[in-house]
Amino acid sequence: QRTALVSASGKHLVEVVGQFTFVQQKPRARVMSQIVGMPVSEPGSHKVKVWFRELAQEPKEWKEVATFPITIELTQPPPLNSPN
């Protein structure tokens, strides 16, 4: 499985690749990835994209299987010496 965070302008910001195996008795799998910090610098409609490929002696091509929208808004935090 390959998962990528894609910016509003189409730039791949981060990508995670991992392997898992389907078991006959369990036709579904949950794969969790952790990204420490969101490497975003522009607001807008970003996407999380997911691809799969079958591993064999000759790995097959990646196939995009899902896209999830994420709206990013950048806000300015108050200054550290702010009375609030």
XYZ file of all heavy atoms in Angstrom:
664
model
N 0.856 -1.164 0.000
C 0.000 0.000 0.000
C 0.899 1.223 0.000
O 1.897 1.269 0.698
C -0.897 0.004 1.228
C -1.719 1.260 1.335
C -2.642 1.225 2.534
O -3.166 0.196 2.884
N -2.826 2.358 3.154
N 0.513 2.202 -0.774
C 1.224 3.472 -0.834
C 0.215 4.571 -0.536
O -0.872 4.600 -1.113
C 1.818 3.643 -2.229
C 2.691 4.851 -2.374
C 3.355 4.810 -3.743
N 2.818 5.905 -4.544
C 2.890 5.970 -5.856
N 3.436 5.015 -6.556
N 2.389 7.000 -6.490
N 0.550 5.467 0.388
C -0.333 6.559 0.779
C 0.447 7.859 0.660
O 1.597 7.926 1.094
C -0.813 6.371 2.230
O -1.408 5.085 2.363
C -1.835 7.427 2.614
N -0.174 8.880 0.076
C 0.502 10.168 -0.098
C -0.426 11.312 0.277
O -1.634 11.240 0.052
C 0.968 10.343 -1.540
N 0.168 12.357 0.865
C -0.532 13.610 1.089
C -0.130 14.529 -0.058
O 1.056 14.797 -0.267
C -0.137 14.231 2.433
C -0.718 15.611 2.726
C -2.253 15.565 2.782
C -0.149 16.163 4.022
N -1.133 14.986 -0.840
C -0.889 15.793 -2.031
C -1.460 17.190 -1.795
O -2.609 17.333 -1.385
C -1.545 15.147 -3.277
C -1.263 15.959 -4.520
C -1.056 13.711 -3.441
N -0.639 18.211 -2.037
C -1.064 19.594 -1.786
C -2.116 20.051 -2.796
O -2.346 19.403 -3.818
C 0.145 20.528 -1.850
O 0.560 20.690 -3.187
N -2.697 21.209 -2.515
C -3.700 21.789 -3.414
C -3.108 22.063 -4.799
O -3.807 22.011 -5.800
C -4.251 23.071 -2.810
N -1.793 22.306 -4.865
C -1.148 22.567 -6.153
C -0.638 21.291 -6.826
O -0.036 21.350 -7.887
C 0.013 23.555 -5.963
O 0.988 23.004 -5.106
N -0.877 20.118 -6.193
C -0.509 18.847 -6.808
C 0.836 18.290 -6.388
O 1.262 17.245 -6.873
N 1.521 18.961 -5.474
C 2.835 18.513 -5.011
C 2.689 17.412 -3.951
O 1.884 17.542 -3.032
C 3.580 19.716 -4.417
C 4.947 19.415 -3.905
C 5.581 20.706 -3.381
C 6.881 20.422 -2.684
N 7.443 21.634 -2.063
N 3.454 16.317 -4.097
C 3.443 15.247 -3.092
C 4.252 15.724 -1.891
O 5.464 15.914 -1.987
C 4.046 13.959 -3.664
C 3.090 13.216 -4.534
N 2.886 11.870 -4.426
C 2.251 13.633 -5.514
C 1.983 11.493 -5.306
N 1.590 12.549 -5.983
N 3.574 15.921 -0.756
C 4.227 16.459 0.435
C 4.884 15.369 1.270
O 5.946 15.576 1.841
C 3.206 17.221 1.286
C 2.533 18.395 0.574
C 1.432 18.977 1.439
C 3.556 19.450 0.211
N 4.245 14.221 1.361
C 4.796 13.097 2.117
C 4.207 11.819 1.551
O 3.081 11.818 1.041
C 4.513 13.239 3.636
C 3.045 13.087 3.955
C 5.338 12.258 4.444
N 4.969 10.749 1.615
C 4.501 9.463 1.081
C 4.966 8.348 2.013
O 6.105 8.380 2.497
C 5.067 9.258 -0.319
C 4.503 8.057 -1.022
C 4.907 8.035 -2.485
O 4.385 8.855 -3.259
O 5.743 7.192 -2.838
N 4.087 7.399 2.264
C 4.386 6.254 3.120
C 4.068 4.988 2.333
O 2.997 4.875 1.742
C 3.529 6.284 4.417
C 3.802 5.069 5.277
C 3.770 7.568 5.192
N 5.004 4.033 2.321
C 4.796 2.758 1.640
C 4.941 1.642 2.665
O 5.882 1.641 3.463
C 5.820 2.555 0.496
C 5.624 1.205 -0.170
C 5.706 3.672 -0.526
N 3.991 0.724 2.668
C 4.039 -0.404 3.597
C 3.494 -1.659 2.959
O 2.829 -1.609 1.923
N 3.804 -2.787 3.566
C 3.318 -4.077 3.066
C 2.367 -4.708 4.069
O 2.512 -4.524 5.273
C 4.483 -5.039 2.847
C 5.339 -4.731 1.681
C 6.391 -5.823 1.469
O 6.575 -6.708 2.277
N 7.078 -5.736 0.358
N 1.422 -5.449 3.556
C 0.551 -6.263 4.380
C 0.069 -7.428 3.542
O 0.194 -7.431 2.323
C -0.632 -5.459 4.953
C -1.587 -4.964 3.918
C -2.708 -5.707 3.590
C -1.376 -3.761 3.269
C -3.586 -5.259 2.622
C -2.249 -3.301 2.309
C -3.357 -4.049 1.991
N -0.483 -8.431 4.209
C -0.964 -9.628 3.528
C -2.422 -9.857 3.891
O -2.783 -9.816 5.067
C -0.136 -10.863 3.958
O 1.237 -10.601 3.679
C -0.580 -12.103 3.226
N -3.247 -10.092 2.873
C -4.630 -10.484 3.130
C -4.659 -11.948 3.541
O -3.941 -12.773 2.979
C -5.501 -10.312 1.877
C -5.924 -8.894 1.618
C -5.417 -8.194 0.544
C -6.838 -8.276 2.448
C -5.809 -6.890 0.296
C -7.242 -6.973 2.210
C -6.717 -6.281 1.131
N -5.498 -12.263 4.505
C -5.692 -13.639 4.956
C -7.051 -14.080 4.440
O -8.015 -13.304 4.466
C -5.636 -13.702 6.501
C -5.853 -15.116 6.999
C -4.318 -13.151 7.008
N -7.161 -15.327 3.984
C -8.426 -15.799 3.388
C -9.623 -15.600 4.306
O -10.684 -15.227 3.871
C -8.325 -17.281 3.014
C -7.763 -17.499 1.637
C -7.918 -18.945 1.210
O -8.107 -19.846 2.024
N -7.836 -19.171 -0.083
N -9.460 -15.856 5.589
C -10.590 -15.741 6.512
C -10.958 -14.286 6.797
O -12.026 -14.006 7.318
C -10.269 -16.433 7.858
C -10.037 -17.915 7.751
C -8.598 -18.249 7.307
O -7.736 -17.382 7.216
N -8.365 -19.513 7.012
N -10.057 -13.363 6.475
C -10.315 -11.933 6.717
C -10.059 -11.160 5.432
O -8.935 -10.767 5.138
C -9.409 -11.421 7.838
C -9.690 -12.094 9.165
C -8.806 -11.530 10.251
C -9.121 -12.216 11.564
N -8.328 -11.669 12.656
N -11.109 -10.899 4.650
C -10.925 -10.246 3.350
C -10.664 -8.735 3.429
O -10.562 -8.074 2.423
C -12.238 -10.521 2.632
C -13.231 -10.653 3.737
C -12.484 -11.292 4.880
N -10.561 -8.193 4.648
C -10.295 -6.762 4.820
C -9.062 -6.585 5.693
O -8.742 -7.425 6.514
C -11.482 -6.065 5.477
C -12.709 -6.088 4.616
C -13.819 -5.275 5.271
N -14.957 -5.230 4.388
C -16.032 -5.977 4.538
N -16.133 -6.812 5.521
N -17.031 -5.885 3.685
N -8.425 -5.451 5.534
C -7.259 -5.133 6.356
C -7.289 -3.652 6.699
O -7.746 -2.830 5.904
C -5.974 -5.477 5.628
N -6.810 -3.318 7.871
C -6.698 -1.920 8.278
C -5.218 -1.627 8.438
O -4.519 -2.303 9.179
C -7.412 -1.682 9.606
C -7.293 -0.249 10.082
C -8.046 -0.028 11.361
N -9.466 -0.195 11.080
C -10.398 -0.250 12.012
N -10.084 -0.174 13.274
N -11.655 -0.392 11.679
N -4.752 -0.633 7.720
C -3.355 -0.233 7.790
C -3.323 1.189 8.328
O -3.993 2.064 7.796
C -2.680 -0.295 6.400
C -1.247 0.178 6.486
C -2.752 -1.704 5.838
N -2.558 1.396 9.384
C -2.477 2.719 9.989
C -1.063 3.256 9.824
O -0.088 2.527 10.007
C -2.853 2.645 11.464
C -4.288 2.178 11.667
S -4.709 1.884 13.381
C -4.596 3.501 14.058
N -0.978 4.527 9.461
C 0.312 5.209 9.324
C 0.265 6.463 10.180
O -0.782 7.084 10.334
C 0.575 5.607 7.878
O 0.632 4.477 7.063
N 1.399 6.828 10.713
C 1.470 8.039 11.509
C 2.448 9.003 10.853
O 3.573 8.626 10.523
C 1.933 7.726 12.922
C 1.953 8.923 13.817
C 2.300 8.551 15.249
O 2.646 7.427 15.554
N 2.206 9.518 16.127
N 1.994 10.226 10.651
C 2.836 11.281 10.107
C 2.958 12.325 11.204
O 1.967 12.923 11.608
C 2.226 11.903 8.832
C 2.046 10.840 7.756
C 3.085 13.057 8.340
C 1.253 11.313 6.558
N 4.162 12.521 11.698
C 4.376 13.494 12.763
C 4.515 14.870 12.127
O 5.454 15.128 11.383
C 5.630 13.137 13.591
C 5.862 14.173 14.682
C 5.495 11.747 14.182
N 3.542 15.721 12.400
C 3.530 17.062 11.799
C 2.987 16.994 10.381
O 3.284 16.087 9.636
N 2.162 17.937 10.029
C 1.623 18.002 8.672
C 2.516 18.937 7.870
O 2.568 20.135 8.154
C 0.192 18.533 8.684
C -0.810 17.591 9.303
S -1.197 16.212 8.243
C -2.356 16.949 7.131
N 3.226 18.436 6.872
C 4.166 19.268 6.116
C 3.468 20.134 5.068
O 3.697 20.002 3.877
C 5.076 18.228 5.464
C 4.170 17.055 5.241
C 3.225 17.054 6.424
N 2.575 21.008 5.530
C 1.831 21.845 4.588
C 2.292 23.291 4.708
O 2.643 23.758 5.788
C 0.304 21.763 4.809
C -0.204 20.368 4.542
C -0.079 22.191 6.197
N 2.296 23.984 3.590
C 2.671 25.396 3.608
C 1.690 26.247 2.815
O 1.887 27.443 2.684
C 4.085 25.568 3.036
O 4.124 25.088 1.709
N 0.654 25.624 2.285
C -0.342 26.373 1.517
C -1.738 25.898 1.912
O -1.956 24.722 2.166
C -0.127 26.185 0.014
C -0.293 24.744 -0.445
C -0.041 24.547 -1.930
O -0.947 24.850 -2.720
O 1.052 24.080 -2.274
N -2.695 26.819 2.008
C -4.069 26.417 2.309
C -4.746 25.857 1.070
O -4.236 25.975 -0.044
C -4.719 27.737 2.741
C -3.966 28.777 1.978
C -2.550 28.262 1.873
N -5.890 25.224 1.266
C -6.670 24.747 0.131
C -7.095 23.304 0.298
O -6.963 22.712 1.356
N -7.605 22.753 -0.781
C -8.117 21.382 -0.780
C -6.985 20.409 -1.115
O -6.630 20.229 -2.270
C -9.252 21.260 -1.795
O -9.764 19.946 -1.773
N -6.418 19.811 -0.087
C -5.379 18.800 -0.247
C -6.053 17.442 -0.401
O -7.256 17.311 -0.193
C -4.459 18.790 0.970
C -3.587 20.004 1.079
N -4.071 21.292 1.041
C -2.256 20.117 1.228
C -3.079 22.147 1.163
N -1.953 21.456 1.273
N -5.267 16.424 -0.724
C -5.825 15.077 -0.887
C -4.909 14.059 -0.234
O -3.691 14.210 -0.229
C -5.953 14.726 -2.366
C -6.913 15.592 -3.128
C -6.894 15.256 -4.592
C -7.773 16.261 -5.332
N -7.527 16.247 -6.743
N -5.533 13.016 0.300
C -4.806 11.814 0.697
C -5.134 10.785 -0.371
O -6.308 10.503 -0.626
C -5.231 11.303 2.086
C -4.576 9.971 2.387
C -4.895 12.323 3.158
N -4.102 10.262 -1.033
C -4.308 9.275 -2.092
C -3.744 7.936 -1.643
O -2.707 7.883 -0.969
C -3.628 9.708 -3.385
C -4.274 10.911 -4.030
C -3.682 11.170 -5.395
C -4.486 12.218 -6.136
N -4.128 12.257 -7.546
N -4.425 6.864 -2.043
C -4.014 5.512 -1.675
C -3.909 4.659 -2.932
O -4.802 4.683 -3.773
C -5.029 4.862 -0.692
C -4.596 3.462 -0.310
C -5.208 5.734 0.542
N -2.796 3.917 -3.027
C -2.567 2.996 -4.139
C -2.275 1.608 -3.579
O -1.759 1.477 -2.473
C -1.335 3.393 -4.954
C -1.388 4.699 -5.657
C -1.744 4.916 -6.960
C -1.036 5.978 -5.152
N -1.626 6.240 -7.278
C -1.189 6.920 -6.183
C -0.595 6.428 -3.902
C -0.929 8.269 -6.010
C -0.334 7.780 -3.733
C -0.506 8.677 -4.778
N -2.593 0.587 -4.348
C -2.220 -0.794 -4.029
C -1.490 -1.384 -5.217
O -1.690 -0.958 -6.355
C -3.460 -1.679 -3.783
C -4.147 -1.439 -2.472
C -5.509 -1.252 -2.427
C -3.445 -1.435 -1.284
C -6.167 -1.057 -1.232
C -4.091 -1.235 -0.076
C -5.449 -1.045 -0.053
N -0.685 -2.388 -4.944
C -0.129 -3.219 -6.004
C 0.141 -4.592 -5.415
O 0.389 -4.743 -4.218
C 1.137 -2.633 -6.609
C 2.360 -2.757 -5.754
C 3.574 -2.292 -6.510
N 4.725 -2.279 -5.614
C 5.911 -1.872 -5.956
N 6.118 -1.417 -7.183
N 6.901 -1.892 -5.108
N 0.060 -5.579 -6.276
C 0.330 -6.950 -5.857
C 1.829 -7.201 -5.980
O 2.444 -6.868 -7.001
C -0.436 -7.926 -6.756
C -0.288 -9.362 -6.344
C -1.063 -10.297 -7.254
O -2.036 -9.855 -7.884
O -0.674 -11.466 -7.326
N 2.394 -7.761 -4.921
C 3.808 -8.118 -4.973
C 3.930 -9.549 -5.471
O 3.250 -10.440 -5.008
C 4.458 -7.993 -3.598
C 4.649 -6.583 -3.081
C 5.313 -6.606 -1.705
C 5.498 -5.768 -4.038
N 4.763 -9.742 -6.416
C 5.044 -11.059 -6.980
C 6.521 -11.067 -7.335
O 7.263 -10.170 -6.936
C 4.165 -11.295 -8.213
N 6.952 -12.062 -8.099
C 8.352 -12.053 -8.514
C 8.654 -10.759 -9.268
O 9.717 -10.190 -9.128
C 8.663 -13.270 -9.384
C 8.760 -14.542 -8.574
C 9.185 -15.724 -9.433
O 9.021 -15.715 -10.645
N 9.726 -16.734 -8.780
N 7.703 -10.312 -10.046
C 7.797 -9.024 -10.723
C 6.640 -8.172 -10.211
O 5.487 -8.409 -10.576
C 7.694 -9.204 -12.239
C 8.718 -10.162 -12.778
C 9.457 -9.592 -13.967
O 9.174 -8.463 -14.358
O 10.317 -10.308 -14.475
N 6.920 -7.184 -9.320
C 5.821 -6.379 -8.768
C 4.989 -5.720 -9.871
O 5.524 -5.258 -10.875
C 6.554 -5.324 -7.938
C 7.861 -5.945 -7.609
C 8.210 -6.795 -8.801
N 3.676 -5.712 -9.660
C 2.763 -5.114 -10.638
C 2.724 -3.607 -10.462
O 3.259 -3.059 -9.508
C 1.382 -5.738 -10.476
C 1.396 -7.231 -10.771
C 0.017 -7.816 -10.787
C 0.126 -9.302 -11.147
N -1.154 -9.930 -11.245
N 2.052 -2.932 -11.382
C 1.936 -1.478 -11.349
C 1.056 -1.047 -10.167
O 0.125 -1.741 -9.788
C 1.308 -0.966 -12.654
C 2.155 -1.200 -13.884
C 3.430 -0.370 -13.882
O 3.365 0.823 -13.509
O 4.483 -0.935 -14.234
N 1.351 0.146 -9.624
C 0.498 0.720 -8.587
C -0.849 1.097 -9.203
O -0.905 1.632 -10.303
C 1.136 1.978 -8.009
C 2.329 1.721 -7.132
C 3.632 1.931 -7.459
C 2.322 1.233 -5.793
N 4.443 1.600 -6.403
C 3.658 1.167 -5.360
C 1.323 0.838 -4.917
C 4.022 0.731 -4.102
C 1.688 0.404 -3.653
C 3.017 0.354 -3.259
N -1.931 0.830 -8.473
C -3.280 1.176 -8.917
C -3.909 2.076 -7.857
O -4.006 1.687 -6.689
C -4.121 -0.097 -9.088
C -5.549 0.173 -9.484
C -6.336 -1.119 -9.600
C -7.785 -0.835 -9.915
N -8.612 -2.025 -9.913
N -4.311 3.286 -8.258
C -4.955 4.195 -7.302
C -6.328 3.641 -6.946
O -7.126 3.333 -7.833
C -5.090 5.595 -7.890
C -5.612 6.595 -6.897
C -5.654 8.014 -7.438
O -4.736 8.409 -8.187
O -6.621 8.721 -7.108
N -6.596 3.498 -5.644
C -7.853 2.897 -5.205
C -8.730 3.842 -4.379
O -9.901 3.559 -4.172
C -7.604 1.591 -4.404
C -7.006 0.522 -5.303
C -6.722 1.833 -3.196
N -8.161 4.960 -3.910
C -8.976 5.884 -3.114
C -8.327 7.261 -3.072
O -7.105 7.386 -3.145
C -9.153 5.365 -1.696
N -9.175 8.280 -2.955
C -8.734 9.656 -2.748
C -9.672 10.291 -1.732
O -10.891 10.174 -1.862
C -8.788 10.463 -4.066
O -7.948 9.828 -5.023
C -8.322 11.888 -3.860
N -9.083 10.936 -0.721
C -9.870 11.578 0.327
C -9.486 13.051 0.398
O -8.307 13.369 0.514
C -9.594 10.934 1.696
C -9.803 9.454 1.712
C -8.733 8.587 1.495
C -11.054 8.920 1.929
C -8.923 7.219 1.506
C -11.250 7.548 1.940
C -10.184 6.696 1.723
N -10.470 13.966 0.356
C -10.143 15.393 0.440
C -9.877 15.820 1.890
O -10.478 15.302 2.828
C -11.400 16.073 -0.102
C -12.505 15.119 0.226
C -11.895 13.740 0.136
N -8.937 16.752 2.044
C -8.676 17.379 3.339
C -8.528 18.873 3.068
O -7.675 19.279 2.286
C -7.375 16.867 3.989
C -7.486 15.394 4.334
C -7.035 17.664 5.234
C -6.246 14.829 4.975
N -9.372 19.688 3.715
C -9.266 21.136 3.556
C -8.313 21.675 4.611
O -8.496 21.441 5.800
C -10.643 21.807 3.695
O -11.507 21.265 2.686
C -10.543 23.317 3.523
N -7.283 22.384 4.151
C -6.270 22.946 5.045
C -6.473 24.443 5.139
O -6.557 25.140 4.125
C -4.843 22.660 4.519
C -4.607 21.161 4.363
C -3.795 23.328 5.406
C -4.519 20.383 5.632
N -6.564 24.941 6.370
C -6.617 26.381 6.632
C -5.408 26.714 7.486
O -5.160 26.054 8.495
C -7.894 26.763 7.376
C -9.158 26.577 6.566
C -10.400 26.978 7.331
O -10.290 27.647 8.380
O -11.495 26.613 6.881
N -4.652 27.714 7.092
C -3.496 28.139 7.874
C -3.900 29.335 8.717
O -4.455 30.303 8.202
C -2.333 28.497 6.956
C -1.828 27.363 6.061
C -0.699 27.871 5.168
C -1.365 26.179 6.883
N -3.642 29.268 9.999
C -3.946 30.387 10.900
C -2.658 30.800 11.599
O -1.746 29.994 11.781
C -5.002 29.993 11.949
O -4.511 28.890 12.707
C -6.311 29.606 11.290
N -2.604 32.042 11.980
C -1.440 32.573 12.671
C -1.676 32.449 14.173
O -2.647 32.984 14.703
C -1.241 34.041 12.278
C 0.043 34.641 12.734
C 1.239 34.077 11.971
O 1.096 33.551 10.891
N 2.400 34.192 12.540
N -0.819 31.727 14.901
C -1.017 31.638 16.351
C -0.710 32.987 17.010
O 0.042 33.795 16.454
C 0.007 30.575 16.784
C 1.032 30.577 15.714
C 0.342 30.993 14.453
N -1.300 33.241 18.187
C -1.003 34.507 18.859
C 0.460 34.535 19.301
O 1.065 33.482 19.529
C -1.941 34.500 20.082
C -2.328 33.075 20.258
C -2.225 32.418 18.918
N 1.052 35.721 19.411
C 2.440 35.803 19.852
C 2.612 35.184 21.241
O 1.690 35.177 22.049
C 2.720 37.317 19.895
C 1.633 37.953 19.105
C 0.471 37.006 19.117
N 3.794 34.668 21.516
C 4.059 34.031 22.808
C 3.878 34.975 23.985
O 3.505 34.554 25.067
C 5.463 33.437 22.825
C 5.698 32.252 21.887
C 7.147 31.826 21.936
C 4.798 31.097 22.267
N 4.160 36.265 23.805
C 4.028 37.219 24.909
C 2.642 37.872 24.947
O 2.447 38.882 25.595
C 5.119 38.297 24.824
C 5.076 39.034 23.497
O 4.229 38.767 22.655
N 5.997 39.976 23.318
N 1.661 37.269 24.273
C 0.301 37.799 24.244
C -0.346 37.630 25.618
O -0.182 36.598 26.264
C -0.509 37.066 23.179
O -1.863 37.442 23.240
N -1.122 38.613 26.099
C -1.773 38.495 27.407
C -2.866 37.430 27.444
O -3.311 37.050 28.498
C -2.346 39.883 27.665
C -2.432 40.531 26.326
C -1.376 39.885 25.463
N -3.354 36.929 26.298
C -4.434 35.922 26.282
C -3.895 34.630 26.649
O -3.549 33.720 26.427
C -5.127 35.897 24.927
C -5.872 37.184 24.662
O -6.049 37.978 25.566
N -6.280 37.399 23.445
